[in-house]
Amino acid sequence: MTAVAVPPRSVPRALAMAALCHGVFGLAVGSMAFALATGMQLGIGGLTGASAWLANMLLVAQFPLVHSWLLGRGRGWLARLSPFGHGATLAPSTYAISASLQLLAAFWLWSPSGVVWHAPTGAFGVGQWMLFAGAWLFLHKALFDAGLMLQTGAAGWWALLRGRKVDYGDMPTRGLFAACRQPIYLGFALVLWTAPTWTPDWLLLTVGWSLYCVVGPRRKEARWQRQFGERFLSYRRSVPYLLPRLFR
């Protein structure tokens, strides 16, 4: 693809978006890892009793609802939400920022119950930490196989910096995508379920977001079917949905 002349003001805007996008993304990932490791006792929400449970359930619900809406009917809003203009080009970066802010809200605004059912200790605890780390590695590999530039939001600001259209990549079918069609959602669920500290807060979040990991990709696959047609249908017939196929 031939590059076009980049307006002088586009370069600092692209770099500013890069700093904002990856700064917020890194903070969200770190907060998620620490919050899950401590059984969702990280939050600063001060509610108690029924009010705390209601507020926490709303925090659980806001992520899948807004996340799915922005990928569907709300896609036009991404162009308007860009803090540096160039909305269509920066849409992947804006989407990554939105998802990161939602994660930060869920983990930091959470009202902890203070009840801990299980904390990792001894040899069993070591095994739990290893499983937790392995789930994160699986999720990272799934993001890499799907296209790390797009998944982290870098595709938007990188396109603006080079004066090109956003490269959304091809339909992923290699790596973990050869074993199941939705390895990112599977990896996300594994990270939730392998959290080493068990609390009522952790269970509420894990059940709620795991349901989204099972149902949410249906809308994504509907878009793939419209975009790739018979190629996706052939892929769907030969590769399972969520649980990997270990043997052919």
Side-chain angles (χ1 to χ4, degrees), residues 5 178 191:
V191 165

Side-chain angles (χ1 to χ4, degrees), residues 6-244:
V6 182
R9 287 184 294 180
S10 296
V11 173
R13 290 176 181 179
L15 296 178
M17 176 59 94
L20 177 61
C21 176
H22 299 305
V24 176
F25 183 86
L27 185 61
V29 172
S31 297
M32 179 176 176
F34 188 70
L36 290 175
T38 58
M40 294 298 295
Q41 303 304 298
L42 174 68
I44 61 175
L47 299 176
T48 59
S51 297
W53 284 105
L54 177 60
N56 290 342
M57 285 189 287
L58 290 175
L59 289 173
V60 171
Q62 57 85 23
F63 181 75
L65 291 177
V66 177
H67 199 69
S68 298
W69 180 73
L70 287 176
L71 283 176
R73 296 182 179 180
R75 297 187 74 174
W77 278 90
L78 289 174
R80 305 173 194 173
L81 293 174
S82 173
F84 303 108
H86 306 281
T89 301
L90 291 177
S93 302
T94 306
Y95 183 74
I97 292 173
S98 172
S100 299
L101 290 176
Q102 289 181 264
L103 290 176
L104 288 171
F107 296 120
W108 284 102
L109 298 181
W110 194 273
S111 296
S113 67
V115 177
V116 178
W117 291 333
H118 167 80
T121 57
F124 183 74
V126 173
Q128 285 185 284
W129 285 111
M130 292 177 65
L131 285 174
F132 190 51
W136 278 102
L137 289 175
F138 182 95
L139 178 58
H140 178 79
K141 178 64 166 62
L143 292 171
F144 179 83
D145 291 341
L148 208 55
M149 289 286 289
L150 185 61
Q151 300 301 318
T152 61
W157 66 261
W158 182 242
L160 179 62
L161 187 65
R162 298 190 302 162
R164 299 184 178 183
K165 293 183 178 180
V166 178
D167 181 10
Y168 285 94
D170 197 7
M171 183 179 72
T173 57
R174 298 183 179 181
L176 294 177
F177 284 86
C180 70
R181 303 197 302 272
Q182 301 299 335
I184 294 178
Y185 287 88
L186 175 61
F188 195 79
L190 289 175
V191 165
L192 295 171
W193 284 104
T194 58
T197 303
W198 303 343
T199 66
D201 312 76
W202 157 78
L203 186 60
L204 172 63
L205 181 85
T206 297
V207 171
W209 283 3
S210 294
L211 290 174
Y212 171 62
C213 289
V214 174
V215 177
R218 296 295 185 184
R219 295 173 62 89
K220 180 179 180 180
E221 295 205 341
R223 293 196 310 274
W224 281 3
Q225 182 173 343
R226 291 192 299 268
Q227 183 176 358
F228 300 105
E230 180 57 35
R231 184 180 169 204
F232 169 73
L233 294 177
S234 176
Y235 171 68
R236 188 177 65 181
R237 286 191 293 266
S238 60
V239 178
Y241 178 59
L242 194 64
L243 297 180

